Amino acid sequence: NPTDVPGLPSGIPEFLVDSGIEELYPPQAAAVEAGVTRGDSLVASVPTASGKTLIAELAMLSSVERGGKALYVVPLRALASEKKAEFERWADFDVDVGISTGNYESSEEWLASRDIVVATSEKVDSLVRNGAPWIEDLTCVVADEVHLVDDPNRGPTLEVTLAKLRRINPELQVVALSATVDNADEVADWLDAELVASEWRPVDLRTGVHYGDAITFDDDSRREVPVGRGERPTAALVDDALAEGGSSLVFVNSRRNAEAAARRQADVTERHLDDDERDDLAALAEEVAGVSDTETSDDLAAVVRKGAAFHHAGLSAEHRSLVEDAFRDRLLKAICATPTLAAGVNTPSRRVIVRDWRRYDGEFGGMKPLDVLEVHQMFGRAGRPGLDPYGEAVLLAKDHDTMDELFDRYVHADPEPVQSKLAREPAMRTHLLATVASGFARSRDGLLDFLDRTLHAAQSDTTERLESVVDSVIEYLVANDFVERSGDELAATSLGHTVSRLYLDPMSAAEIVDGLRAAEDPTALGLYHLVCRTPDMYQLYLKSGDRETYTELCYERETELLGRVPSEFEDVRFEEWLAALKTAKLLEDWASEVDEDRITERYGVGPGDVRGKVDTAEWLLGAAERLAVELELDSVVAVREAKKRVADGVREELLDLTGVRGVGRKRARRLYEAGVESRADLREAEKSVVLGALRGRERTAERVLENAGRQDPSMDGVSAAEGAAVDDG
Ligand code: ADP
């Protein structure tokens, strides 16, 4: 029980007991037994929702109690704020928590004063690259979801970062939290850590497959869930859970599907609401709609009003927490989510429905089955401790063969082993440059020696493959002037240092540098196309007919494009050039105030995809700006403006207005049309005109005026000016 745990700051064990942790869960007790509060390293491989976070907290608190400093590494930005909010309850015990989410390329020195810092692995990697001095003070590092070292895109960063932190402080306590995987012992070997592996869960879990008119569970029991004519199985399952007062979490494979499914589930949940719930949901919907001036806000509010929601990486943090809290409070009855929600947000549900077990995979070139590990993580969200007698996780099958396949593939199967992906060339390009730039290695041998501390080395018998990748990456970095070689010595050039700090794939940097050198006064389209050509941008696919459309556009606007158009005979390169052009055109449309609806229709993408492209473009253009400064190129101003326009989705003349918090592209345009053309105008304008342009929303208008620095923003007694209050249509 918590009061028997050694090494914690005084008062904390009692606090835990008071907050409902009367007894440690078995894996937690095992972790304490293994010395996690005495500074010993540990790998905890236990199911989702079985109290891994508390294991980490015990480690961090005891480390702080001994005068140390702890770092909690999360895989997603969304989780960082969630974890920070969770850890803030230790403030009463003089343990301060900080979150590092700022831009890359800063060392955030104020974090030095915090006892616990929460950050993503990318952010930690960049803090190390930027030489944040407090990194040396760390005594305890927690790696949340450490099984993600297996992820081809982001895994290598986590792997290299842990290796660097352990090199900086060889005594560092590492606490790695993992989903249940087969080879957790290998991870423990790599980290020189004790292993706690357990299948224990606080609520029983039944897993099964729905086919026809029933769910068949793993213990061969059945539950009748008939599907009516014209009804979808997911709706029948949500309805069935609600009949017993249970909520449902539905996992689908894309943002667009999550939104569409939420609209359908809302019709089901709506039937189960009582009057009080309707009122509460109406208030919640208002709040959701008020978060931002976007389609997503409106769409989310519309389903929330009926008791359902969608949840995906395209939601803002505010939306996400409103949805998650209301689901935990059981006000929302169903959430349709992409797998991000499974990755650690604490939202248990009576029933989990894995509707899509395949997802489009670009590299694979088609629909690919999800990993067992990923599906088990979703399963793990089933069952609310203390509320549900058990949790139910259900897959859907259309026919008998699929049902058999799903049982074999997911219900009875063990998760895949975790395998390092570090030897891939794109990962190596980035990490070897960073390793040289931050002085962790100064020669080829030094690099190989550093890599010897990675999971990759722990998992492979020979170093041949690694050596050949290292050699070709060194050649590449030298050829592009990021690294200088003299004899055996390797050192980063000034350009190489900048690229490393900017957190760019060196290949992206090389493309950008070449492109910027080609033009003094590039257009926005030219710049968008340039950043869309880099490997850091996922390009849109060319659909049938697109080749003709964009070939034509390519020649029409050839003078704007930076660099030489590949010949049409260079099939693959030309194709990529066009895909980049299509993506760039989307960005140009966005920065020319084309409606989001028009864009999603024109390019066949979801609103979240537009957001994703815009965010990436903003980041890459910010990096391009820095490179232009570094190389003293004339294009700096053009790059900065193109960046701002894409970030805010507006033409040049609105940039001043969109700089005011709460003013998005649509509000800015309406204000501008009403004669309010700048921040300064906002401070002077007739309130009735502002209110009219903001569609009579008083609170919004007040907030906007306040953000613009107006002395007296109150709208009391003001009514919207006639004519300006145009209809929403
Ligand atoms: P994981 O990180 O393993 O997915 P969490 O740490 O989020 O799981 O724990 C899930 C829930 O269980 C949290 O709400 C947490 O407060 C609660 N919990 C953790 N340990 C205990 C315990 N020993 N007794 C009661 N509740 C606990």
Side-chain angles (χ1 to χ4, degrees), residues 223-250:
R223 181 181 171 91
E224 300 293 322
V225 184
V227 181
R229 276 192 64 148
E231 191 182 23
R232 291 177 184 242
T234 314
L237 285 162
V238 171
D239 202 22
D240 174 67
L242 270 172
E244 293 187 359
S247 57
S248 294
L249 200 47
V250 182

mmCIF file of all heavy atoms in Angstrom, residues 223-250:
data_model
loop_
_atom_site.group_PDB
_atom_site.id
_atom_site.type_symbol
_atom_site.label_atom_id
_atom_site.label_comp_id
_atom_site.label_asym_id
_atom_site.label_seq_id
_atom_site.Cartn_x
_atom_site.Cartn_y
_atom_site.Cartn_z
ATOM 1 N N ARG A 223 -23.297 -12.952 -27.308
ATOM 2 C CA ARG A 223 -24.285 -11.958 -26.930
ATOM 3 C C ARG A 223 -25.041 -11.562 -28.191
ATOM 4 O O ARG A 223 -24.451 -11.149 -29.183
ATOM 5 C CB ARG A 223 -23.598 -10.723 -26.340
ATOM 6 C CG ARG A 223 -24.600 -9.663 -25.915
ATOM 7 C CD ARG A 223 -23.896 -8.425 -25.360
ATOM 8 N NE ARG A 223 -24.873 -7.357 -25.153
ATOM 9 C CZ ARG A 223 -25.542 -7.164 -24.019
ATOM 10 N NH1 ARG A 223 -25.327 -7.947 -22.991
ATOM 11 N NH2 ARG A 223 -26.434 -6.184 -23.926
ATOM 12 N N GLU A 224 -26.372 -11.709 -28.129
ATOM 13 C CA GLU A 224 -27.184 -11.358 -29.289
ATOM 14 C C GLU A 224 -27.156 -9.847 -29.499
ATOM 15 O O GLU A 224 -27.505 -9.082 -28.595
ATOM 16 C CB GLU A 224 -28.654 -11.777 -29.054
ATOM 17 C CG GLU A 224 -28.865 -13.263 -28.807
ATOM 18 C CD GLU A 224 -28.545 -14.102 -30.033
ATOM 19 O OE1 GLU A 224 -28.861 -13.642 -31.164
ATOM 20 O OE2 GLU A 224 -27.954 -15.192 -29.856
ATOM 21 N N VAL A 225 -26.733 -9.430 -30.663
ATOM 22 C CA VAL A 225 -26.858 -8.016 -31.043
ATOM 23 C C VAL A 225 -27.341 -7.990 -32.488
ATOM 24 O O VAL A 225 -26.558 -7.864 -33.433
ATOM 25 C CB VAL A 225 -25.529 -7.250 -30.928
ATOM 26 C CG1 VAL A 225 -25.751 -5.757 -31.230
ATOM 27 C CG2 VAL A 225 -24.915 -7.395 -29.539
ATOM 28 N N PRO A 226 -28.655 -8.142 -32.681
ATOM 29 C CA PRO A 226 -29.179 -8.198 -34.041
ATOM 30 C C PRO A 226 -29.033 -6.848 -34.750
ATOM 31 O O PRO A 226 -29.064 -5.801 -34.104
ATOM 32 C CB PRO A 226 -30.653 -8.546 -33.859
ATOM 33 C CG PRO A 226 -30.956 -8.459 -32.417
ATOM 34 C CD PRO A 226 -29.703 -8.216 -31.655
ATOM 35 N N VAL A 227 -28.836 -6.914 -36.045
ATOM 36 C CA VAL A 227 -28.695 -5.694 -36.846
ATOM 37 C C VAL A 227 -29.950 -5.550 -37.697
ATOM 38 O O VAL A 227 -30.289 -6.446 -38.474
ATOM 39 C CB VAL A 227 -27.455 -5.787 -37.758
ATOM 40 C CG1 VAL A 227 -27.287 -4.509 -38.574
ATOM 41 C CG2 VAL A 227 -26.210 -6.067 -36.929
ATOM 42 N N GLY A 228 -30.665 -4.447 -37.503
ATOM 43 C CA GLY A 228 -31.917 -4.256 -38.237
ATOM 44 C C GLY A 228 -31.687 -4.020 -39.725
ATOM 45 O O GLY A 228 -30.565 -3.769 -40.153
ATOM 46 N N ARG A 229 -32.734 -4.108 -40.494
ATOM 47 C CA ARG A 229 -32.613 -3.835 -41.934
ATOM 48 C C ARG A 229 -32.182 -2.397 -42.155
ATOM 49 O O ARG A 229 -32.732 -1.484 -41.553
ATOM 50 C CB ARG A 229 -33.974 -4.033 -42.621
ATOM 51 C CG ARG A 229 -34.230 -5.471 -42.963
ATOM 52 C CD ARG A 229 -35.412 -5.563 -43.886
ATOM 53 N NE ARG A 229 -35.106 -4.897 -45.167
ATOM 54 C CZ ARG A 229 -35.618 -5.293 -46.322
ATOM 55 N NH1 ARG A 229 -36.464 -6.289 -46.364
ATOM 56 N NH2 ARG A 229 -35.312 -4.664 -47.427
ATOM 57 N N GLY A 230 -31.180 -2.213 -42.981
ATOM 58 C CA GLY A 230 -30.704 -0.860 -43.265
ATOM 59 C C GLY A 230 -29.870 -0.274 -42.137
ATOM 60 O O GLY A 230 -29.346 0.823 -42.245
ATOM 61 N N GLU A 231 -29.749 -1.009 -41.032
ATOM 62 C CA GLU A 231 -28.943 -0.522 -39.914
ATOM 63 C C GLU A 231 -27.504 -0.984 -40.117
ATOM 64 O O GLU A 231 -27.258 -2.012 -40.745
ATOM 65 C CB GLU A 231 -29.481 -1.109 -38.605
ATOM 66 C CG GLU A 231 -28.895 -0.467 -37.360
ATOM 67 C CD GLU A 231 -29.418 -1.118 -36.062
ATOM 68 O OE1 GLU A 231 -29.858 -2.289 -36.118
ATOM 69 O OE2 GLU A 231 -29.376 -0.473 -35.022
ATOM 70 N N ARG A 232 -26.560 -0.202 -39.595
ATOM 71 C CA ARG A 232 -25.173 -0.643 -39.677
ATOM 72 C C ARG A 232 -24.800 -1.372 -38.387
ATOM 73 O O ARG A 232 -25.275 -0.995 -37.314
ATOM 74 C CB ARG A 232 -24.243 0.546 -39.855
ATOM 75 C CG ARG A 232 -24.406 1.193 -41.208
ATOM 76 C CD ARG A 232 -23.500 2.393 -41.261
ATOM 77 N NE ARG A 232 -23.695 3.111 -42.501
ATOM 78 C CZ ARG A 232 -22.734 3.291 -43.419
ATOM 79 N NH1 ARG A 232 -21.540 2.812 -43.219
ATOM 80 N NH2 ARG A 232 -22.986 3.962 -44.523
ATOM 81 N N PRO A 233 -23.925 -2.372 -38.475
ATOM 82 C CA PRO A 233 -23.556 -3.128 -37.259
ATOM 83 C C PRO A 233 -23.011 -2.225 -36.153
ATOM 84 O O PRO A 233 -23.318 -2.429 -34.979
ATOM 85 C CB PRO A 233 -22.477 -4.087 -37.760
ATOM 86 C CG PRO A 233 -22.659 -4.180 -39.227
ATOM 87 C CD PRO A 233 -23.303 -2.917 -39.690
ATOM 88 N N THR A 234 -22.226 -1.213 -36.519
ATOM 89 C CA THR A 234 -21.668 -0.342 -35.481
ATOM 90 C C THR A 234 -22.787 0.349 -34.711
ATOM 91 O O THR A 234 -22.756 0.422 -33.474
ATOM 92 C CB THR A 234 -20.749 0.741 -36.094
ATOM 93 O OG1 THR A 234 -19.900 0.115 -37.041
ATOM 94 C CG2 THR A 234 -19.936 1.428 -35.041
ATOM 95 N N ALA A 235 -23.791 0.827 -35.449
ATOM 96 C CA ALA A 235 -24.913 1.501 -34.791
ATOM 97 C C ALA A 235 -25.638 0.536 -33.867
ATOM 98 O O ALA A 235 -26.003 0.890 -32.737
ATOM 99 C CB ALA A 235 -25.864 2.067 -35.837
ATOM 100 N N ALA A 236 -25.822 -0.695 -34.317
ATOM 101 C CA ALA A 236 -26.503 -1.685 -33.481
ATOM 102 C C ALA A 236 -25.708 -1.934 -32.198
ATOM 103 O O ALA A 236 -26.284 -2.062 -31.108
ATOM 104 C CB ALA A 236 -26.691 -2.987 -34.266
ATOM 105 N N LEU A 237 -24.389 -1.971 -32.315
ATOM 106 C CA LEU A 237 -23.548 -2.231 -31.139
ATOM 107 C C LEU A 237 -23.560 -1.059 -30.164
ATOM 108 O O LEU A 237 -23.583 -1.253 -28.947
ATOM 109 C CB LEU A 237 -22.114 -2.538 -31.581
ATOM 110 C CG LEU A 237 -21.915 -3.934 -32.194
ATOM 111 C CD1 LEU A 237 -20.611 -3.993 -32.992
ATOM 112 C CD2 LEU A 237 -21.910 -5.001 -31.096
ATOM 113 N N VAL A 238 -23.549 0.139 -30.694
ATOM 114 C CA VAL A 238 -23.601 1.323 -29.832
ATOM 115 C C VAL A 238 -24.945 1.362 -29.104
ATOM 116 O O VAL A 238 -25.023 1.613 -27.888
ATOM 117 C CB VAL A 238 -23.389 2.619 -30.661
ATOM 118 C CG1 VAL A 238 -23.665 3.858 -29.826
ATOM 119 C CG2 VAL A 238 -21.964 2.662 -31.221
ATOM 120 N N ASP A 239 -25.989 1.082 -29.851
ATOM 121 C CA ASP A 239 -27.340 1.080 -29.299
ATOM 122 C C ASP A 239 -27.472 0.034 -28.194
ATOM 123 O O ASP A 239 -28.005 0.291 -27.114
ATOM 124 C CB ASP A 239 -28.308 0.765 -30.449
ATOM 125 C CG ASP A 239 -29.718 1.253 -30.156
ATOM 126 O OD1 ASP A 239 -29.863 2.164 -29.319
ATOM 127 O OD2 ASP A 239 -30.653 0.717 -30.763
ATOM 128 N N ASP A 240 -26.930 -1.124 -28.456
ATOM 129 C CA ASP A 240 -27.003 -2.236 -27.512
ATOM 130 C C ASP A 240 -26.262 -1.909 -26.205
ATOM 131 O O ASP A 240 -26.751 -2.197 -25.111
ATOM 132 C CB ASP A 240 -26.396 -3.482 -28.181
ATOM 133 C CG ASP A 240 -26.282 -4.648 -27.236
ATOM 134 O OD1 ASP A 240 -27.341 -5.167 -26.822
ATOM 135 O OD2 ASP A 240 -25.143 -5.038 -26.883
ATOM 136 N N ALA A 241 -25.102 -1.273 -26.326
ATOM 137 C CA ALA A 241 -24.359 -0.904 -25.115
ATOM 138 C C ALA A 241 -25.148 0.136 -24.328
ATOM 139 O O ALA A 241 -25.236 0.075 -23.094
ATOM 140 C CB ALA A 241 -22.971 -0.363 -25.477
ATOM 141 N N LEU A 242 -25.739 1.079 -25.039
ATOM 142 C CA LEU A 242 -26.489 2.151 -24.371
ATOM 143 C C LEU A 242 -27.727 1.632 -23.657
ATOM 144 O O LEU A 242 -28.133 2.180 -22.631
ATOM 145 C CB LEU A 242 -26.895 3.217 -25.391
ATOM 146 C CG LEU A 242 -25.878 4.335 -25.578
ATOM 147 C CD1 LEU A 242 -26.277 5.229 -26.733
ATOM 148 C CD2 LEU A 242 -25.751 5.157 -24.293
ATOM 149 N N ALA A 243 -28.301 0.574 -24.189
ATOM 150 C CA ALA A 243 -29.483 -0.004 -23.554
ATOM 151 C C ALA A 243 -29.158 -0.418 -22.119
ATOM 152 O O ALA A 243 -30.029 -0.444 -21.253
ATOM 153 C CB ALA A 243 -29.986 -1.198 -24.368
ATOM 154 N N GLU A 244 -27.871 -0.718 -21.855
ATOM 155 C CA GLU A 244 -27.460 -1.054 -20.482
ATOM 156 C C GLU A 244 -26.705 0.092 -19.824
ATOM 157 O O GLU A 244 -26.016 -0.099 -18.830
ATOM 158 C CB GLU A 244 -26.567 -2.294 -20.500
ATOM 159 C CG GLU A 244 -27.328 -3.534 -20.915
ATOM 160 C CD GLU A 244 -26.468 -4.777 -20.769
ATOM 161 O OE1 GLU A 244 -25.300 -4.657 -20.362
ATOM 162 O OE2 GLU A 244 -27.010 -5.864 -21.067
ATOM 163 N N GLY A 245 -26.796 1.264 -20.434
ATOM 164 C CA GLY A 245 -26.135 2.432 -19.837
ATOM 165 C C GLY A 245 -24.648 2.513 -20.093
ATOM 166 O O GLY A 245 -23.949 3.249 -19.416
ATOM 167 N N GLY A 246 -24.149 1.749 -21.067
ATOM 168 C CA GLY A 246 -22.711 1.762 -21.341
ATOM 169 C C GLY A 246 -22.354 2.618 -22.545
ATOM 170 O O GLY A 246 -23.102 2.714 -23.510
ATOM 171 N N SER A 247 -21.201 3.265 -22.467
ATOM 172 C CA SER A 247 -20.754 4.097 -23.581
ATOM 173 C C SER A 247 -19.926 3.263 -24.559
ATOM 174 O O SER A 247 -19.498 2.162 -24.236
ATOM 175 C CB SER A 247 -19.900 5.232 -23.044
ATOM 176 O OG SER A 247 -18.831 4.683 -22.307
ATOM 177 N N SER A 248 -19.696 3.835 -25.738
ATOM 178 C CA SER A 248 -18.893 3.133 -26.748
ATOM 179 C C SER A 248 -17.821 4.034 -27.332
ATOM 180 O O SER A 248 -18.025 5.221 -27.512
ATOM 181 C CB SER A 248 -19.764 2.649 -27.914
ATOM 182 O OG SER A 248 -20.664 1.677 -27.495
ATOM 183 N N LEU A 249 -16.695 3.381 -27.622
ATOM 184 C CA LEU A 249 -15.590 4.054 -28.290
ATOM 185 C C LEU A 249 -15.410 3.314 -29.607
ATOM 186 O O LEU A 249 -15.180 2.107 -29.607
ATOM 187 C CB LEU A 249 -14.365 3.885 -27.391
ATOM 188 C CG LEU A 249 -13.165 4.771 -27.492
ATOM 189 C CD1 LEU A 249 -13.546 6.233 -27.549
ATOM 190 C CD2 LEU A 249 -12.274 4.520 -26.277
ATOM 191 N N VAL A 250 -15.593 4.030 -30.720
ATOM 192 C CA VAL A 250 -15.521 3.377 -32.029
ATOM 193 C C VAL A 250 -14.240 3.817 -32.730
ATOM 194 O O VAL A 250 -14.032 5.012 -32.928
ATOM 195 C CB VAL A 250 -16.734 3.785 -32.910
ATOM 196 C CG1 VAL A 250 -16.684 3.062 -34.250
ATOM 197 C CG2 VAL A 250 -18.040 3.524 -32.177
#
